[in-house]
Each structure stands twice: as structure tokens, then as C-alpha cells.
């Protein structure tokens, strides 16, 4: 497995791969890898011949008061995990490589990005679409693999790929959870025992919402009210939003429609911002 930091070098390497007729899959990550990330690598292995994982904590997707500086990092461990999973190339650029002085061009999707996380993190998706576009241009993958854990991110990227006629296929993979239901996240490392117990309430509350739907209560407001109520029973868990949206357009849905609706949740557990979702 190769570890490459420079754009020129990665381009040169991938030219050989392409000329050999191999299909490339890119798995973009911010590192501190866990089984959720590794499941995306497994998915990539199923569909492509050459797997590239990018490990880059992208500053432009963090707001000024957010946890960019405290974001967990362990590049050596990430590289070991990638190698064990059969990754061919890890691209780990520096900030100077990705955002040289005088950088001033951004990619912005302004519809799907304006709801849910886009409200509380108004510059977040602009940072995401910009870095993903840059990675697509550098790697030129045939496939890009993303986790449904970040459902809104997937929808925004799919929209960008469609609107800008990008020549690649977006592939998604289900959310990987801890045995007790907590969605895996690099940020979980910041949860001590009481915070972790509080965080678990997100999945528990969403599951109560699903129970209502299973019983035939399809009114979104009714389900949302139940999820908020369940989350509010934990003092250190603060709801940012609970929404039921169309999985493609991110538009709110009055009624839950099986196979189309997704329940999306964001919450603070003290200083840690967590998101999760459940598809109906
Ligand atoms: P991140 O490093 O958090 O930016 O995530 C990189 C990729 O991994 C994104 O496509 C995420 O959706 C995906 N991902 C993160 N957590 C999980 C998880 N628990 N299950 C599946 N995919 C995940």
C-alpha cells in the first residue's frame, strides 16, 4: 500500500492504474478510522479494482466555533487499518497542498444544503462540496463511496454530481453501529461514560419513533414529537433538530412513506455534536 501526500504524485500513480484498465473507487474520510469507515472500504472492494482512501481533516467544513483543532487524529493507525483492509493507496495531503495561499474558489449546493445541518452549520456543506470536488478532480475515481450515516451529505453530493455532470457513480453503505446501537463516529472517542450513555438515547429515541410508525402512526409531527420527548429525558442531551425528510430531496414530509422517508437527528451531548438517522 502506498501513502502519498502530493497531488502530482497521486496523479502519476493513478495514470498507471487507469491505463491498465482498472476501475478506481475513492473513499473520502477525515481519518481516525473505525468500522464504519472500514465498511465503506469493503464496499469499494466489491465494486472496484483499486481502492483509494483519502484521510484529510478538511478545515473549510468546520465553523469558527467548531472542533477542527480538537478533531481526533491517528495517521499511523489509519494507515495500518487501511493496509489490513486491502487499500491500495492512502492520500493524506496537508492543508498547504489542499488550500494553498490565496485559495478563493468554492463549490456550493444551495438547496439541500440549506436545511437541517445547514441551518446550525451554515458553512459546513460548502466546505464539504468543495473538498469532495477537489478530491474527485485529483483522483478521478469511477466510484465514490459514502456512508448513509451522513444522509444529508450523501444527498448534497449526489446533487452536486448530477448538477455538475460529474462522470462517476456515488455508492452508499449502511450505518455501522456499536452493539448497543450507538452509530460509530470518530467523535465518540470524546464521550466519557455518562456522555456515552446520553448519546445512546439518540438511537433509543429514534427506535421509539420507528415503533410508532410500525404501529401505523404515519403523521410526521406525531413521530417527531415522540422522538424529541424521548431524547429530552436525558439532561445532557440537547436536541438540535429532529426531522422527517425525503431521502433524495431532503424536503420535510408530512407523512412517513416507507422506503422514502428518513428520520434525521442532530444533538449535542455537552460539547460533542452527534448526528444519526433511521430509514423507514
Ligand atoms: P468522516 O471521517 O466522519 O468524514 O466520514 C467519512 C465517511 O465515512 C463518510 O462517508 C461517512 O458517512 C462514513 N461514516 C462515518 N461513520 C459511519 C458509520 N458509523 N457507518 C457507516 N459509514 C460511516
Amino acid at each position: 500500500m502506498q501513502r502519498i501526500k502530493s497531488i502530482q504524485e497521486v496523479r502519476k500513480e493513478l495514470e498507471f492504474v487507469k491505463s491498465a484498465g482498472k476501475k478506481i473507487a475513492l473513499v473520502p474520510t477525515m481519518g481516525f478510522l473505525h468500522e464504519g469507515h472500514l465498511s465503506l472500504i469493503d464496499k469499494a472492494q466489491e465494486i472496484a479494482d483499486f481502492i483509494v482512501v483519502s484521510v484529510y481533516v478538511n478545515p473549510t467544513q468546520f465553523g469558527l466555533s467548531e472542533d477542527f483543532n480538537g478533531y481526533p487524529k491517528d495517521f499511523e493507525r489509519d494507515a495500518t487499518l487501511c493496509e489490513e483492509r486491502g487499500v491500495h493507496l492512502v492520500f493524506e495531503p496537508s492543508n498547504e497542498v489542499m488550500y494553498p495561499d490565496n485559495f478563493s474558489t468554492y463549490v456550493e449546493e444551495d438547496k439541500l444544503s440549506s436545511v437541517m445541518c445547514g441551518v446550525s452549520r451554515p458553512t459546513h456543506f460548502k466546505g464539504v462540496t468543495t473538498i469532495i470536488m477537489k478530491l474527485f478532480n485529483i483522483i478521478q475515481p469511477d466510484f465514490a463511496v459514502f456512508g448513509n450515516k451522513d444522509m444529508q451529505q450523501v444527498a448534497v453530493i449526489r446533487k452536486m454530481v448530477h448538477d455538475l455532470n460529474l462522470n462517476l457513480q456515488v455508492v452508499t453503505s449502511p450505518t455501522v453501529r456499536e452493539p448497543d446501537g450507538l452509530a460509530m463516529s470518530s467523535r465518540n472517542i470524546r464521550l466519557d461514560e455518562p456522555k456515552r450513555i446520553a448519546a445512546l438515547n439518540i438511537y433509543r429515541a429514534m427506535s421509539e419513533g420507528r415503533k410508532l410508525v410500525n404501529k401505523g402512526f404515519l403523521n410526521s409531527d406525531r413521530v417527531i414529537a415522540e422522538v424529541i420527548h424521548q431524547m429530552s429525558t436525558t439532561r445532557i442531551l440537547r436536541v438540535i433538530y429532529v426531522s422527517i425528510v425525503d431521502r433524495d430531496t431532503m424536503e420535510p414530509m408530512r407523512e412517513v412513506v416507507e422506503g422514502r422517508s428518513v428520520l434525521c437527528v442532530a444533538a449535542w451531548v455537552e460539547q460533542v455534536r452527534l448526528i444519526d438517522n433511521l430509514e423507514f
Side-chain angles (χ1 to χ4, degrees):
M1 187 189 78
Q2 287 177 285
R3 294 173 67 179
I4 300 183
K5 292 182 190 301
S6 106
I7 293 173
Q8 290 86 335
E9 235 182 285
V10 87
R11 283 208 163 123
K12 208 163 104 201
E13 182 58 34
L14 292 176
E15 244 172 60
F16 288 120
V17 174
K18 281 194 179 131
S19 61
K22 292 187 179 169
K23 296 283 182 205
I24 298 172
L26 169 66
V27 181
T29 80
M30 296 208 298
F32 210 70
L33 304 182
H34 50 67
E35 279 301 320
H37 298 111
L38 301 179
S39 73
L40 305 185
I41 294 171
D42 293 346
K43 181 84 194 172
Q45 297 281 14
E46 286 170 22
I47 55 180
D49 312 301
F50 192 94
I51 315 303
V52 179
V53 173
S54 59
V55 175
Y56 179 61
V57 184
N58 173 37
T60 62
Q61 69 190 68
F62 290 80
L64 283 179
S65 60
E66 292 179 3
D67 59 349
F68 172 66
N69 287 320
Y71 198 84
K73 294 182 189 71
D74 191 340
F75 292 108
E76 296 313 311
R77 183 171 162 275
D78 289 345
T80 306
L81 289 172
C82 284
E83 186 146 35
E84 284 171 5
R85 226 57 174 217
V87 170
H88 301 89
L89 193 162
V90 174
F91 180 49
E92 38 189 12
S94 64
N95 288 336
E96 291 70 32
V97 163
M98 292 314 259
Y99 296 106
D101 284 348
N102 272 328
F103 183 92
S104 60
T105 305
Y106 294 85
V107 179
E108 198 164 4
E109 190 286 327
D110 66 9
K111 202 166 171 191
L112 284 64
S113 305
S114 66
V115 297
M116 296 197 292
C117 282
V119 175
S120 46
R121 305 184 77 188
T123 56
H124 171 67
F125 287 113
K126 178 178 170 185
V128 169
T129 42
T130 300
I131 194 66
I132 294 296
M133 188 67 171
K134 282 172 69 73
L135 289 168
F136 286 174
N137 282 330
I138 294 164
I139 310 293
Q140 305 203 358
D142 300 281
F143 305 97
V145 188
F146 296 90
N148 276 336
K149 154 86 167 34
D150 297 82
M151 184 64 80
Q152 190 175 9
Q153 171 172 281
V154 167
V156 168
I157 289 167
R158 277 194 196 284
K159 189 69 166 46
M160 173 182 84
V161 166
H162 178 263
D163 286 350
L164 300 184
N165 312 102
L166 304 184
N167 191 20
L168 62 93
Q169 202 179 317
V170 172
V171 176
T172 58
S173 199
T175 300
V176 177
R177 298 181 181 281
E178 300 287 356
D180 58 11
L182 180 68
M184 289 192 180
S185 163
S186 305
R187 289 187 168 101
N188 291 354
I189 189 85
R190 294 171 54 203
L191 302 172
D192 59 16
E193 195 54 24
K195 286 187 206 143
R196 202 188 173 292
I197 291 168
L200 190 53
N201 213 23
I202 297 174
Y203 182 67
R204 201 186 58 75
M206 292 196 309
S207 305
E208 290 301 319
R210 173 180 271 164
K211 276 188 205 159
L212 269 189
V213 171
N214 289 347
K215 281 187 203 155
F217 293 93
L218 299 181
N219 180 280
S220 295
D221 285 343
R222 173 76 181 86
V223 178
I224 289 168
E226 180 64 23
V227 175
I228 292 176
H229 168 69
Q230 292 292 340
M231 285 172 76
S232 309
T233 57
T234 309
R235 198 178 47 84
I236 59 170
L237 186 69
R238 277 174 297 143
V239 176
I240 302 170
Y241 64 78
V242 175
S243 302
I244 292 177
V245 297
D246 179 294
R247 55 173 300 146
D248 297 322
T249 65
M250 295 290 112
E251 279 172 14
M253 296 180 79
R254 236 178 250 277
E255 292 255 303
V256 173
V257 179
E258 302 263 351
R260 231 184 91 199
S261 303
V262 45
L263 169 67
C264 296
V265 173
W268 289 106
V269 179
E270 292 194 349
Q271 258 55 271
V272 187
R273 191 183 191 280
L274 299 173
I275 58 170
D276 203 345
N277 67 77
L278 212 73
E279 292 172 67
F280 291 115

